[in-house]
């Protein structure tokens, strides 16, 4: 009864009318929400940027004032030069100009083509004549020919100046630009006009070939003296050297002649790692001085060591990493350095690779010997000076040019010098192809089992230069001296 009464009371209460409400379409609602979010974000950014507690500083970009003249010059040429300019060539030229202004022969800008050739030279092989060159005072100078390369076989020597390539003057070119002309496909000839000392310029025609980058050669003699030649310092040189030393050590190696003659250098790290093989742990190898601060000293690390007595051979073609190694072994390891004054490159370079494939190669510091000496443009001075024999620097004789009786020129004088050095009597070495010269040529041709024509050309000329090269190798006065020093003979102590 009570429940029925409560239900009736509820039904009797008046019903209140509903309040007013806003009607909005769904699309309009979505747009309203979106605009609200945008407005909130904008107010937040303004507050953070310009408010009292701003966290972001917005600045308009400022043009670098030092480039104003460069931009003005470029725009003037682009707008008013009498023909349309090659923008890429002009920009590359501007970069080259910055590098040239540094007056540093080891600092260079390489466009994409030049950079490709440079990077190719760091690979396991390339095609060309096989010579390290450098720009000096506007001239292209040979630093060193690569061992067993066409350049070495043709007789190209350190300090030779290359005046032209296939008749095109290269004076004023960078080394990178000259390389583009000298390199080429295997089997193709290139003619170099070469200035050697005060002599008349001579032409060398060299046939390009594959130039493998094999960097270490070694042999051992009956006295158990090892002769190790390092031709450059590449990424694999350390491993090549250790492999050869292990092999010769198994054969009873008792002394080491480390030969870095005609070695133009390479990777700094390779020179440091190799020096560590022969120096006690902790001994200084090199100091590298950057733009600011104290020099960084690199020291010999522990690990594999070869403790046999060692001598080092250098010459005017020994540069950079070769000089680092020679100086380190002398100043920190008391090794005798034998030969003639080295090239004198005392700076360190790095290569920066740009996005378009071009390279920037520039000097980042200078290096000092363990005792703080800077050998730049002075070279490492040998502790025992031994000169090459005079016949080792005789001028090139072109096999394509026939030399015969009645002729008189500088090539004949060089050929007479070769014949005389090999024990054949050409008479007076005067550049005149007389009866004595012809007789000496015939005697040489007989010994070489060649047709006895009495004239120098082709196979006879090649055989003559090969025979002289073998003589230089077999009777190398620097190697003989170095071995005598290691053996402690009276001959070594007499000089």
């Amino acid at each position: 009864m009570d429940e029925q009464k409560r239900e009736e009371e509820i039904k009797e209460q008046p019903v209140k009318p509903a309040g007013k409400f806003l009607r909005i379409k769904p699309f309009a609602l979505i747009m309203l929400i979106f605009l609200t979010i945008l407005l909130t974000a904008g107010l937040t950014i303004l507050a953070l940027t310009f408010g009292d507690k701003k966290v972001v500083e917005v600045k308009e970009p400022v043009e670098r004032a030092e480039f104003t003249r460069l931009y003005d010059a470029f725009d003037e040429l682009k707008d008013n030069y009498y023909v349309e300019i090659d923008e890429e060539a002009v920009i590359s030229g501007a970069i080259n100009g910055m590098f040239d202004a540094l007056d540093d022969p080891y600092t260079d800008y390489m466009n994409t083509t030049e950079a490709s050739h440079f990077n190719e030279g760091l690979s396991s092989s390339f095609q060309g004549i096989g010579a390290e060159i450098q720009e000096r005072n506007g001239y292209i100078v040979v630093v060193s020919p690569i061992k067993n390369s066409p350049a070495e076989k043709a007789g190209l020597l350190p300090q030779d100046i290359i005046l032209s390539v296939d008749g095109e003057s290269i004076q004023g070119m960078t080394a990178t630009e000259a390389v583009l002309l000298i390199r080429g496909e295997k089997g193709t000839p290139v003619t170099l006009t070469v200035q050697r000392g005060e002599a008349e310029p001579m032409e060398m025609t060299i046939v390009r070939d594959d130039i493998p980058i094999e960097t270490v050669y070694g042999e051992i003699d009956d006295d158990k003296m090892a002769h190790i030649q390092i031709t450059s310092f590449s990424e694999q040189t350390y491993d090549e050297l250790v492999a050869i030393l292990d092999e010769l050590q198994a054969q009873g190696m008792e002394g080491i002649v480390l030969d870095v003659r005609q070695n133009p250098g390479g990777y700094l790290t390779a020179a440091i790692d190799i020096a560590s093989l022969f120096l006690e742990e902790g001994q200084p190898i090199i100091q590298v001085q950057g733009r600011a601060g104290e020099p960084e000293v690199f020291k010999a690390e522990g690990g594999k060591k070869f403790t046999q007595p060692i001598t080092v051979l250098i010459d005017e073609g020994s540069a950079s990493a070769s000089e680092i190694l020679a100086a380190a072994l002398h100043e920190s390891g008391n090794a005798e350095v034998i030969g003639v004054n080295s090239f004198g490159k005392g700076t360190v370079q790095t290569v920066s690779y740009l996005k378009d494939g071009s390279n920037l190669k520039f000097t980042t510091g200078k290096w000092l010997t363990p005792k703080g000496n800077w050998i730049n443009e002075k070279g490492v001075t040998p502790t025992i000076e031994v000169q090459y024999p005079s016949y080792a620097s005789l001028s090139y004789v072109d096999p394509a040019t026939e030399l015969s009786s009645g002729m008189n020129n500088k090539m004949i004088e060089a050929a007479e010098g070769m014949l005389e050095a090999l024990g054949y009597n050409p008479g007076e070495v005067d550049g005149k192809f007389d009866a004595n010269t012809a007789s000496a040529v015939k005697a040489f041709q007989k010994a070489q089992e060649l047709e006895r024509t009495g004239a120098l050309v082709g196979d006879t000329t090649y055989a003559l230069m090969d025979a002289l090269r073998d003589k230089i190798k077999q009777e190398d006065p620097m190697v003989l001296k170095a071995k005598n020093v290691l053996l402690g003979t009276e001959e070594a102590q007499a000089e």
Side-chain angles (χ1 to χ4, degrees):
M1 176 68 75
D2 292 337
E3 291 179 3
Q4 183 179 358
K5 185 177 182 179
R6 282 197 296 270
E7 290 177 1
E8 291 174 353
E9 290 176 353
I10 293 172
K11 290 179 182 178
E12 291 174 357
Q13 291 179 3
V15 179
K16 295 181 179 179
K20 294 181 180 180
F21 58 89
L22 178 64
R23 293 189 178 190
I24 186 168
K25 294 181 179 181
F27 178 76
L29 178 61
I30 292 171
M31 292 301 297
L32 180 62
I33 294 171
F34 180 69
L35 290 171
T36 303
I37 292 171
L38 283 179
L39 180 61
T40 304
L43 291 172
T44 302
I45 292 172
L46 287 171
L48 291 174
T49 304
F50 300 105
D52 293 337
K53 296 182 179 180
K54 60 185 177 182
V55 294
V56 178
E57 186 74 26
V58 178
K59 293 183 178 179
E60 293 183 4
V62 178
E63 184 178 314
R64 295 179 61 175
E66 63 266 34
F67 288 109
T68 300
R69 285 182 296 162
L70 181 64
Y71 297 150
D72 289 345
F74 178 82
D75 290 341
E76 190 70 24
L77 288 175
K78 185 177 180 180
D79 295 340
N80 299 316
Y81 192 63
Y82 82 105
V83 295
E84 187 173 344
I85 66 171
D86 182 336
E87 292 187 12
E88 178 61 31
V90 170
I91 292 170
S92 291
I95 300 173
N96 263 321
M98 285 193 291
F99 278 71
D100 291 344
L102 297 171
D103 196 25
D104 180 353
Y106 308 108
T107 291
D108 192 17
Y109 166 72
M110 292 171 268
N111 63 32
T112 53
T113 302
E114 295 166 342
S116 175
H117 282 270
F118 173 80
N119 296 332
E120 183 184 74
L122 299 177
S123 65
S124 60
S125 67
F126 62 92
Q127 294 184 344
I129 67 169
E132 177 83 6
I133 61 174
Q134 177 201 77
E135 183 275 328
R136 273 199 168 185
N137 300 320
Y139 291 95
I140 298 300
V141 180
V142 176
V143 175
S144 179
I146 295 173
K147 183 178 176 64
N148 295 329
S149 67
E152 184 193 54
K153 293 175 182 177
L156 204 63
L157 296 177
Q159 306 302 322
D160 281 349
I161 298 173
I162 303 176
L163 301 176
S164 65
V165 178
D166 287 333
E168 180 179 347
S169 173
I170 59 173
Q171 187 173 352
M173 287 188 181
T174 66
T176 307
E177 291 168 334
V179 164
L180 290 178
L181 294 177
I182 296 171
R183 282 192 185 176
E185 292 184 7
K186 175 181 178 179
T188 59
V190 60
T191 300
L192 308 181
T193 303
V194 176
Q195 175 80 53
R196 179 172 297 166
E198 300 299 322
E200 291 292 318
M202 55 186 172
E203 287 194 350
M204 289 185 175
T205 299
I206 304 174
V207 178
R208 302 175 176 104
D209 202 348
D210 288 322
I211 310 298
I213 309 301
E214 184 178 352
T215 62
V216 184
Y217 302 82
E219 59 186 12
I220 193 168
D221 65 13
D222 294 338
D223 293 320
K224 303 300 181 182
M225 295 292 109
H227 177 206
I228 309 290
Q229 186 171 13
I230 303 175
T231 60
S232 67
F233 291 84
S234 69
E235 290 180 337
Q236 70 268 21
T237 301
Y238 174 87
D239 292 334
E240 288 183 40
L241 177 61
V242 169
I244 287 179
L245 286 170
D246 282 341
E247 180 183 335
L248 298 183
Q249 186 159 262
Q251 297 177 37
M253 176 176 69
E254 296 179 3
I256 301 170
V257 177
L258 199 60
D259 190 344
V260 291
R261 293 176 298 173
Q262 313 268 310
N263 181 330
Y267 288 108
L268 170 64
T269 51
I272 293 172
D273 291 343
I274 290 170
S276 285
L277 291 171
F278 307 106
L279 296 176
E280 294 180 4
E281 184 176 359
Q283 288 291 319
I285 295 173
I286 183 179
Q287 303 180 50
V288 178
Q289 175 70 65
R291 179 185 293 187
E294 293 297 316
E296 181 180 3
V297 180
F298 293 83
K299 298 181 179 181
E301 297 182 352
K304 195 172 187 67
K305 301 290 180 183
F306 293 92
T307 58
Q308 291 87 351
I310 189 169
T311 55
V312 186
L313 302 184
I314 61 171
D315 67 4
E316 64 273 17
S318 304
S320 191
S322 296
E323 295 170 299
I324 290 170
L325 182 59
L329 295 186
H330 170 59
E331 293 187 4
S332 292
N334 297 316
E336 297 285 5
V337 179
I338 297 169
V340 296
N341 224 60
S342 64
F343 184 80
K345 180 179 181 294
T347 55
V348 179
Q349 284 71 41
T350 190
V351 177
S352 179
Y353 300 91
L354 303 185
K355 292 179 180 179
D356 68 345
S358 57
N359 288 356
L360 305 177
K361 179 169 74 74
F362 54 94
T363 300
T364 54
K366 62 182 182 181
W367 68 265
L368 311 173
T369 69
K371 294 183 178 179
N373 297 314
W374 194 33
I375 59 88
N376 199 54
E377 298 187 355
K378 296 182 292 185
V380 174
T381 301
T383 57
I384 301 175
E385 182 177 343
V386 177
Q387 295 286 339
Y388 283 111
S390 58
Y391 55 76
S393 58
L394 287 171
S395 297
Y396 175 73
V397 180
D398 186 359
T401 302
E402 181 172 345
L403 306 177
S404 56
S405 295
M407 298 178 67
N408 183 355
N409 59 46
K410 287 290 184 181
M411 274 200 290
I412 293 172
E413 184 175 346
E416 289 174 324
M418 294 178 189
L419 289 164
E420 184 177 66
L422 293 168
Y424 301 92
N425 181 17
E428 187 177 354
V429 179
D430 55 5
K432 297 177 181 178
F433 205 116
D434 55 20
N436 288 327
T437 309
S439 177
V441 170
K442 286 181 180 179
F444 174 76
Q445 289 171 327
K446 180 180 179 181
Q448 296 290 318
E449 299 182 353
L450 297 168
E451 183 181 0
R452 297 178 63 188
T453 62
L456 269 171
V457 67
D459 290 342
T460 298
T461 305
Y462 281 119
L464 181 63
M465 291 191 291
D466 287 345
L468 185 67
R469 192 176 300 111
D470 288 341
K471 177 181 176 66
I472 293 171
K473 181 179 178 180
Q474 296 299 325
E475 301 176 9
D476 190 326
M478 296 182 191
V479 174
L480 295 175
K481 180 68 173 180
K483 289 181 177 180
N484 286 335
V485 168
L486 293 173
L487 291 167
T489 63
E490 291 182 7
E491 180 182 352
Q493 298 167 351
E495 296 182 23

